[in-house]
């Protein structure tokens, strides 16, 4: 896919239109917390193949005249061979095998001043459990929606950390690995949708603070946390790069930033793999 980008010449001041090739598929990175991109055949009379990874459906999209499945690999996926089942009407199901390779994730130790974010009281634990049901339901949702592309625009301008998959310790207590990317920005910096989709969750949550979740279809979901404000509503349709809120420091944070999460077939995957540039 090619797009035109306007560049201003430093010598003449003229605007030049330059054709740039943009990849329509994320990077093939078959590691725990990564993405497997597997070619599954040529298109046939408008029939869309179906892909199944474990107990869940996997995203299927076309690139030119070929079909690909894009699979989110869980952080706890065993190394070695993994299989995806491909189905086509009138044909016997077939299995495609790919290799899940090792990847090292670093440790992160954080001091949290508000100890309730490390050891919540019973009422807070009840709130957290109720909120978890809402969030999990949105993150595992499947919606049959054809996708034009599976690459993201940056949700906010700022340095992107490589914090996905970090083994985290809060006040020296072990916690679940970090399942997103932290993007540094000042409070009030605009946050935009990484891709077109439908807003399925807005709210103020105990750990995540003010949060927006967007469903892009076929199990591709993005989450935006710790916002200072939310500018969209539940059920609203948004385009890529549409304003959805602003950076804040709500919830469990040590300073203003955007926690940006991406999910495929119900599992968190490294958001960096959906960007075409650093």
């Amino acid at each position: 896919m090619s797009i035109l980008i306007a560049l201003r010449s430093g010598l003449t001041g003229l605007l030049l239109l330059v054709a740039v090739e943009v990849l329509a598929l994320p990077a093939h990175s078959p590691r725990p917390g990564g993405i497997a991109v597997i070619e599954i055949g040529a298109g046939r009379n408008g029939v869309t193949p179906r892909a199944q990874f474990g107990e869940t459906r996997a995203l299927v999209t076309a690139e030119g005249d070929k079909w690909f499945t894009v699979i989110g690999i869980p952080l706890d996926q065993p190394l070695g061979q993994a299989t995806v089942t491909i189905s086509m009407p009138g044909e016997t199901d077939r299995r495609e095998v790919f290799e899940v390779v090792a990847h090292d994730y670093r440790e992160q130790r954080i001091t949290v001043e508000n100890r309730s974010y490390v050891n919540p009281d019973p009422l807070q634990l009840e709130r957290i459990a109720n909120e978890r049901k809402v969030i999990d339901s949105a993150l595992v949702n499947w919606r049959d929606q054809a996708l034009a592309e599976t690459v993201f625009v940056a949700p906010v301008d700022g340095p992107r950390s490589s914090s996905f998959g970090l083994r985290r310790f809060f006040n020296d207590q072990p916690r679940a690995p970090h399942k997103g990317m932290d993007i540094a920005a000042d409070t009030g910096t605009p946050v935009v949708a990484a891709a077109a989709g439908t807003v399925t969750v807005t709210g103020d949550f105990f750990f995540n603070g003010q949060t927006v979740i967007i469903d892009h279809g076929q199990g591709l979901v993005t989450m935006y946390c710790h916002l200072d404000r939310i500018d969209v509503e539940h059920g609203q349709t948004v385009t890529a790069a549409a304003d959805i809120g602003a950076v804040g420091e709500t919830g469990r944070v040590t300073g203003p930033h955007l926690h940006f999460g991406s999910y495929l077939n119900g599992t968190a995957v490294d958001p960096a793999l959906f960007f075409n540039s650093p």
Side-chain angles (χ1 to χ4, degrees):
M1 177 179 68
S2 295
I3 62 173
L4 293 177
I5 296 179
L7 300 177
R8 187 176 296 276
S9 168
L11 296 176
T12 66
L14 296 177
L15 284 177
L16 306 176
L17 290 178
V18 180
V20 177
E21 191 70 18
V22 175
L23 299 176
L25 291 169
H28 175 62
S29 304
R31 63 180 190 241
I35 298 170
V37 181
I38 302 171
E39 183 180 335
I40 56 175
R44 301 179 190 173
N45 302 321
V47 177
T48 303
R50 177 178 174 135
Q52 187 95 6
F53 182 62
E55 300 298 319
T56 61
R57 288 182 65 179
L59 186 155
V60 171
T61 188
E63 172 81 345
D65 63 349
K66 296 179 180 178
W67 287 100
F68 294 82
T69 182
V70 183
I71 301 166
I73 304 172
L75 275 167
D76 59 359
Q77 177 75 27
L79 303 183
Q81 288 190 343
T83 61
V84 55
T85 301
I86 309 301
S87 303
M88 284 285 288
E91 297 183 7
T92 302
D93 291 353
R94 72 176 195 274
R95 297 173 63 186
E96 296 285 350
V97 178
F98 62 95
E99 194 81 11
V100 179
V101 299
H103 184 78
D104 288 330
Y105 291 108
R106 298 177 293 113
E107 285 188 0
Q108 181 185 48
R109 295 180 179 271
I110 299 173
T111 299
V112 179
E113 298 297 335
N114 186 340
R115 295 188 178 276
S116 67
Y117 283 125
V118 181
N119 297 301
D121 64 33
L123 285 178
Q124 290 168 332
L125 287 172
E126 182 179 359
R127 174 187 171 184
I128 292 165
N130 290 332
E131 291 176 348
R132 192 71 254 172
K133 294 175 184 177
V134 174
I135 293 170
D136 286 348
S137 178
L139 297 181
V140 302
N141 188 54
W142 178 272
R143 186 166 59 94
D144 278 311
Q145 173 70 44
L147 300 178
E149 59 185 18
T150 52
V151 292
F152 291 158
V153 299
V156 67
D157 290 330
R160 306 172 191 164
S161 76
S162 56
S163 59
F164 179 86
L166 285 176
R167 298 186 298 275
R168 298 185 301 172
F169 295 80
F170 289 100
N171 300 354
D172 291 325
Q173 297 186 29
R175 290 295 185 267
H178 191 237
K179 294 183 178 179
M181 167 191 287
D182 290 336
I183 305 177
D186 293 333
T187 296
T189 304
V191 176
V192 304
T198 300
V199 177
T200 53
V201 170
T202 62
D204 191 358
F205 300 98
F206 184 78
F207 288 126
N208 295 346
Q210 294 205 68
T211 296
V212 172
I213 297 178
I214 300 176
D215 187 324
H216 307 284
Q218 292 203 55
L220 178 59
V221 178
T222 52
M223 181 165 64
Y224 312 75
C225 301
H226 310 309
L227 301 174
D228 184 62
R229 70 170 193 273
I230 294 172
D231 295 336
V232 289
E233 299 177 349
H234 179 271
Q236 182 176 336
T237 299
V238 296
T239 58
D243 288 335
I244 62 171
V247 171
E249 49 182 322
T250 57
R252 184 173 64 186
V253 295
T254 56
H257 71 280
L258 175 71
H259 171 97
F260 175 57
S262 58
Y263 294 77
L264 264 176
N265 45 271
T267 192
V269 294
D270 189 351
L273 302 175
F274 289 95
F275 295 114
N276 271 334
S277 60

